[in-house]
Amino acid sequence: MKPSLKHLHLFGCKCFVLRTHPENLVKFDGKADEGIFVGYPPTRAYKVFNLRIRVVVESINVSFDDKKITGLD
């Protein structure tokens, strides 16, 4: 039986990180921040460069768009 590789993603792909503090949101704010996937930490999460706050964050609540590679346009 082959191991599943569904959890692996392309480095540098576009992704969206769910905001974890919804009490800071205003009515029409988005629930996710756009980011760039940068790696895998030792834990079971993903490292993402958050474009809104300009920091690398670790989160498990990430949606990936593997078809869009940022910086290669």
Side-chain angles (χ1 to χ4, degrees):
M1 180 180 212
K2 293 182 182 179
S4 173
L5 301 176
K6 288 173 57 172
H7 66 280
L8 296 178
H9 298 282
L10 296 173
F11 292 102
C13 71
K14 184 178 183 181
C15 60
F16 299 93
V17 182
L18 184 69
R19 289 190 184 181
T20 55
H21 300 290
E23 66 273 2
N24 297 336
L25 294 177
V26 184
K27 187 173 185 177
F28 293 109
D29 282 348
K31 293 183 181 179
D33 290 332
E34 190 173 341
I36 301 170
F37 176 63
V38 293
Y40 297 98
T43 60
R44 193 178 169 177
Y46 301 103
K47 280 189 179 181
V48 175
F49 178 72
N50 190 323
L51 295 172
R52 183 180 63 88
I53 57 175
R54 303 248 183 236
V55 236
V56 175
V57 295
E58 291 184 12
S59 179
I60 59 171
N61 300 315
V62 180
S63 297
F64 291 93
D65 187 4
D66 288 325
K67 296 177 184 170
K68 293 241 182 190
I69 302 295
T70 56
L72 297 178
D73 297 325

